[in-house]
Structure formats: C-alpha cells, structure tokens
Amino acid sequence: MSAAELEARLRAIGAERYHDRHPFHALLHGGRLDRGQVQAWALNRYEYQRCIPLKDAALLARIEDPQLRRVWRQRIVDHDGDGPDEGGIARWLRLTDALGLDRELVESGRALLPATRFAAQAYIRFVRERSLLEAIASSLTELFAPTIIGQRVAGMLANYDFVSKQALAYFDSRLHQAPQDANFALDYVLRHARTREQQEAVCAALRFKCDVLWSMLDALHFAYVEPRLPPPGAFLPQACSPESDA
C-alpha cells in the first residue's frame, strides 16, 4: 500500500471499531446513566489511565533512537506530571473525587471489574512484546479521541448536575495532547511500515487497541446496565466506601 492507502485503511479501522460507537458511550453522553453508573465508569477507566505511563515506559525502554525517546517520554510527563497533583492521572482522580468516590478505593484497584484489569494489562504486554512499530501503531486510537472528548464533555455537562467543568478538566489538556501525539505516531507508522507484512501488522495493532477499549465498555455495560451482574468484589453503587469493600 502507498502511505495514503495505509492511512485510509487505518482511519477506516477507527471509523468501524473505535469505542465512540459503543452503546455504553451513547448512554453516558446522553445523560441516560445514573450517578452510580457514572461512578463505575470513572473508577474502571482510572485503571486504564494509570496504565498508560506504564505502557509508555515499557515502550521507551525499547527505543534506541535518542530523538524518538525524547519525543515519546513527553507522554509519560503528560500523565504523571512533573510533581504531585500534576498530570492527567491527578486530573482523573479529581474527577473521581468530584463524583464522590473514595480516592483510596479508586487507587487501590480492588473494586475493578476483572475485564478492566485484564484489558489494561493486555495493552501493556502488547507494547512490551510486539515490535516497536506495532507498539507505536497501537497508540493510533488517539487519532479519533478529539471527537469522543467533545461529545463526552458537552454531553456530561448538559445532562448531569453532579458533573462540573472543573471535574472534567482532564479532557481539556487531551484535546491538544491527543492530536499532537497521534500525528507524530501516524507519521512514524507511515514512514516505517514499508512492507505489506509490516502494514498488515500495524493495522492489526490498531484493531487490537480498539478491542481493548471496546472490551472495557462491554464489561461496564454487562455489570452496570444490562443485565446488571457485577462480579464478586467489583464496585457496587451505593456501597463505595472503603469499609464496604465494594
């Protein structure tokens, strides 16, 4: 494939498989979830946010080109910050705080859905074990992030009186970080995926990452929407204090 053909193929994968198409997001953005269901989403999504700098650190350790390392390490800074209470993870915790979740419960991970934990760890393993090209390609879901961020912020502010603009501050920075990161990764992939085998591999990597995000929403929908069967040990709305061992 030419570079233009490969890019078109990658964008088609996102159009078909990105998790903005999942029914759970339609409920979340449309104001059709109750507070407990929104809490469950934020608590489980924290695990994914927590693992992003871990997967980027795993990728960084494999990069021998200093210039590429200098660019990629900014992703870790974006999420971890340069100090306490800075960065994307800290902003996500302020969202869970605003939703009334106990911070120790959120950070401990003990109330996660098993599928959330498995999916996040699968992403780290993928980045650690696959080729550098595939690892970088797996980040290309960021190409499609600005659309879903806009829908999420507008929908949640319009529909939930328990959510404020300050609580959603995490998404403000991602509106410019995600496109910048995605454009860099896309350029890298288009320049380095030269053979048909490499091109198929990067397409498969993007499909895998879409599956990671989709599977987490599948688990949320099953546990908290229909048929509402949270597994043992998972977060239970109305029972979210540390003492309840949710």
Side-chain angles (χ1 to χ4, degrees):
M1 289 181 280
S2 68
E5 289 169 334
L6 177 56
E7 180 176 352
R9 176 117 172 250
L10 291 167
R11 291 187 181 278
I13 291 170
E16 178 188 19
R17 292 172 175 260
Y18 192 57
H19 65 324
D20 62 336
R21 299 173 60 87
H22 197 285
F24 188 90
H25 271 163
L27 298 174
L28 176 66
H29 303 163
R32 288 177 284 166
L33 299 181
D34 60 34
R35 185 188 184 97
Q37 291 167 323
V38 176
Q39 287 177 322
W41 163 75
L43 182 147
N44 279 271
R45 178 76 183 198
Y46 172 77
E47 175 67 5
Y48 174 76
Q49 303 301 141
R50 183 188 71 83
C51 287
I52 289 175
L54 300 182
K55 69 90 181 173
D56 284 325
L59 195 155
L60 199 64
R62 304 176 56 200
I63 298 175
E64 297 193 12
D65 177 7
Q67 177 57 28
L68 180 55
R69 283 202 303 269
R70 282 190 287 269
V71 173
W72 206 269
R73 72 187 182 193
Q74 183 60 44
R75 294 171 179 248
I76 298 177
V77 175
D78 288 344
H79 282 83
D80 282 346
D82 285 316
D85 300 320
E86 297 181 11
I89 293 176
R91 285 190 290 273
W92 196 271
L93 284 169
R94 288 197 282 274
L95 170 60
T96 58
D97 289 346
L99 291 172
L101 288 162
D102 181 84
R103 182 172 286 208
E104 189 278 330
L105 178 68
V106 174
E107 292 184 302
S108 74
R110 69 175 183 270
L112 289 174
L113 295 171
T116 299
R117 183 179 289 107
F118 293 156
Q121 291 300 314
Y123 186 27
I124 295 175
R125 286 196 303 273
F126 184 94
V127 169
R128 183 185 297 129
E129 297 171 2
R130 297 299 184 100
S131 70
L132 184 62
L133 181 59
E134 290 171 284
I136 290 176
S138 69
S139 73
L140 288 175
T141 48
E142 290 183 311
L143 285 169
F144 319 107
T147 297
I148 198 171
I149 289 173
Q151 294 170 348
R152 180 172 297 153
V153 172
M156 293 184 73
L157 289 177
N159 292 297
Y160 300 115
D161 59 9
F162 52 83
V163 173
S164 67
K165 184 171 178 57
Q166 291 73 26
L168 297 176
Y170 167 85
F171 300 106
D172 292 338
S173 59
R174 293 308 298 163
L175 279 172
H176 65 84
Q177 290 171 353
Q180 182 178 356
D181 291 346
N183 289 335
F184 178 86
L186 178 62
D187 178 71
Y188 182 94
V189 167
L190 296 181
R191 286 188 292 108
H192 290 85
R194 301 187 183 97
T195 70
R196 185 64 184 225
E197 182 180 10
Q198 290 172 326
Q199 292 172 343
E200 294 295 344
V202 299
C203 290
L206 179 55
R207 285 194 295 270
F208 165 81
K209 176 61 180 308
C210 288
D211 288 347
V212 166
L213 296 169
W214 195 279
S215 67
M216 290 192 292
L217 293 183
D218 276 348
L220 282 165
H221 198 278
F222 185 88
Y224 300 107
V225 179
E226 180 64 35
R228 293 202 183 207
L229 291 176
F235 169 77
L236 297 177
Q238 309 302 323
C240 58
S241 67
E243 291 76 19
S244 70
D245 199 27

